[in-house]
Amino acid sequence: LFPEIEPQAIREIRAPVLLVSGGKSNPFLGLIMEELARLLPNHASVVFPDAGHQMWYQNADECRKDVEAFLER
């Protein structure tokens, strides 16, 4: 289901990364996001508490606003 990626390879990503998730997503996705946040040196995180895995659909305006703000940094 997921590709095998060595943690060191993730640590070496220097580009800004926005991690976006829904608070009602399957809990294992939250664990993945936590691990990515721990490994990525240049990240920002946004969690939409009332959304599931399709936060871009369920909270479209808020999601767009946060993505645009991230891209403008």
Side-chain angles (χ1 to χ4, degrees):
L1 179 61
F2 295 105
E4 289 187 30
I5 302 173
E6 293 296 322
Q8 185 56 38
I10 296 171
R11 286 186 191 98
E12 292 173 3
I13 297 172
R14 298 290 178 236
V17 176
L18 178 61
L19 300 172
V20 183
S21 69
K24 294 183 179 178
S25 292
N26 190 304
F28 86 90
L29 295 171
L31 296 174
I32 293 169
M33 185 162 162
E34 288 174 15
E35 184 65 4
L36 287 171
R38 186 179 72 79
L39 294 171
L40 288 164
N42 188 13
H43 79 279
S45 300
V46 178
V47 177
F48 297 95
D50 295 325
H53 189 59
Q54 295 179 328
M55 75 293 298
W56 63 89
Y57 178 74
Q58 296 165 326
N59 292 85
D61 291 337
E62 296 87 357
C63 189
R64 184 184 69 249
K65 178 187 73 145
D66 288 335
V67 170
E68 288 173 348
F70 177 79
L71 293 173
E72 291 173 359
R73 298 187 340 181

